[in-house]
Amino acid sequence: MPTIVVEVMPKAELLDPQGKAVAGALSRTGHESISGVRVGKRFELTVEGPIDDAVRAEVAALAEHVLSNSVIEDVVGIHYEQSNIELAGEAAEHHDGYDAPAGETH
């Protein structure tokens, strides 16, 4: 089943107290090369069936209106991931007809 990943981050102009706390902890533990941290949210949505334009539109609307608070957060990414089984199925559908001899790979 396909998975859709929605990434949400605090707006750049707003303070991120959780990120500031993580950055402070990193500095205290000897990681001085890290100058800043921002903490966001990641949502993984699993869908039944293929990801078509209707599903993409539905997820975009959910990301903007349900999964994020548009006053303080931005949706920074929506990624569509397929399972290895689906990728193998697509590869079989697009097979170019060439089979390497036994023991050879190309």
Side-chain angles (χ1 to χ4, degrees):
M1 287 185 272
T3 300
I4 302 170
V5 176
V6 177
E7 298 171 332
V8 177
M9 293 294 292
K11 289 189 178 284
E13 60 272 10
L14 296 179
L15 293 176
D16 180 3
Q18 190 175 7
K20 192 170 188 108
V22 171
L26 291 173
S27 178
R28 286 189 303 277
T29 58
H31 303 281
E32 291 86 16
S33 63
I34 307 298
S35 61
V37 176
R38 296 198 55 85
V39 176
K41 299 184 283 190
R42 172 185 168 107
F43 298 91
E44 292 184 3
L45 311 172
T46 303
V47 297
E48 299 291 332
I51 298 174
D52 57 16
D53 289 341
V55 170
R56 289 175 191 267
E58 180 180 11
V59 169
L62 284 171
E64 289 295 328
H65 304 295
V66 177
L67 302 178
S68 68
N69 177 343
S70 63
V71 174
I72 60 170
E73 297 172 318
D74 290 322
V75 175
V76 296
I78 300 176
H79 310 282
Y80 302 89
E81 301 176 356
Q82 294 179 296
S83 70
N84 287 336
I85 293 170
E86 291 167 320
L87 292 172
E90 284 184 10
E93 288 176 12
H94 297 100
H95 185 34
D96 65 3
Y98 174 79
D99 289 316
E104 290 185 35
T105 57
H106 295 271

